[in-house]
Amino acid sequence: IVVLSAVALALSVAPSANADNSRPPTVKEWSNQLAAPFSLAVDGNSRVLIADGGTGVIGQLTSDGSVRPLVSDVPGLAGLATRGAWMAYGSSDEDGSTEPPVINSSGLNIRRPSGGTVYADTHAYEYANNPDGGQMYGVTDPATCADPMSYPGLLDSHVYAVASWRGDWLVADAGANAIFRVTDKGRISTLAVLPPVPVTVTAEMVAEVGAPDCYIGDTYWAEAVPTGVAIGRGGEIYVSTLPGAPGEAVSQGQIWKIDPRTGNAKEVASGLSGPTSIAVSGSSIYAAELFGGTVSVTRNGSTKTFVELPGALSVAASPNGTIWAATMASEAGPGTIVSISNRHVKVRGHYGHR
């Protein structure tokens, strides 16, 4: 389900920017030229790349605050990761005539160091395999209503987040409710399917959809909707989920740790308000909480606000511990990109083939 169309990674080797320091980190705005920066990627310590879904441009942040275009005219741009001179990003084609919008195509674009691009068609893979087709969503066991209000996993693909992992790419597909593993040659396999999220049905929920009152108090199993994927320093895989309706109306966001051998998901954090991106630095997991207007941090099973950041949409971590975040444009102003650190932060370097 495309729940993000309306509102719309790094491998870490050092402690986080504020993990062992009681002094609040400094938030520095570097640019206010963004629209919908769904994804960030840090190449090295100081090359910051931005995937702006509002403009369809992948750009590099420069020291003067401008964003130098690297790739342009990407439809439905979301998800961005690098591995050396390789780059991978998501694209989707959306039919805007329907509500909710229907995505007609989606996939991962893998740019080789030579400049050629391989397209991995996740939309076709979803239609051929439907990894969550065996899961049931909705009210599957009503207490008093005569009939369930449920449905099986639908055919839907929406590449939303990307990470590099063990020489391949991991894709958080918000439509498929799954994490896909994609090779450099474009071969797709299912790494994990995220479990449904239980939400208690309220009077407001049934009124909104016009359902009978007898469903009030029942458990609604919402689609998980993965929105972020990040890699820990030991290769651990973490995924954020922003449950589909009615879960998106309440703070039901979660962070999961995925076992790559079995695909099982273990909950790491819960109660997040609209997590749309995550990053790992040392033993800390950072989440951009769009509905909460914060970047939060989870350490040792405890989650708290790292910094207040209205419109927080994406987050990334550099190897030196600097946290980067971007905000979505709104009536209050354009989208921005900021650094969050207790140290002096530099932006330099030229992204290219090495």
Side-chain angles (χ1 to χ4, degrees), residues 183-235:
T183 69
D184 286 340
K185 294 183 178 180
R187 181 179 178 276
I188 305 171
S189 58
T190 302
L191 184 80
V193 177
L194 280 299
V197 178
V199 179
T200 300
V201 178
T202 66
E204 291 77 14
M205 292 176 185
V206 297
E208 184 176 349
V209 300
D213 288 346
C214 58
Y215 289 111
I216 296 174
D218 284 333
T219 297
Y220 187 102
W221 295 93
E223 298 186 41
V225 189
T227 56
V229 57
I231 311 302
R233 56 187 171 185

Side-chain angles (χ1 to χ4, degrees), residues 285-345:
I285 307 172
Y286 297 86
E289 296 189 46
L290 179 62
F291 302 157
T294 66
V295 174
S296 63
V297 59
T298 298
R299 300 187 185 110
N300 302 318
S302 176
T303 302
K304 64 180 182 179
T305 296
F306 184 52
V307 295
E308 300 285 347
L309 192 65
L313 187 61
S314 56
V315 65
S318 66
N320 66 11
T322 297
I323 303 303
W324 291 87
T327 67
M328 190 168 187
S330 67
E331 294 180 356
T336 66
I337 181 169
V338 303
S339 61
I340 310 168
S341 180
N342 281 324
R343 68 187 73 200
H344 179 65
V345 179

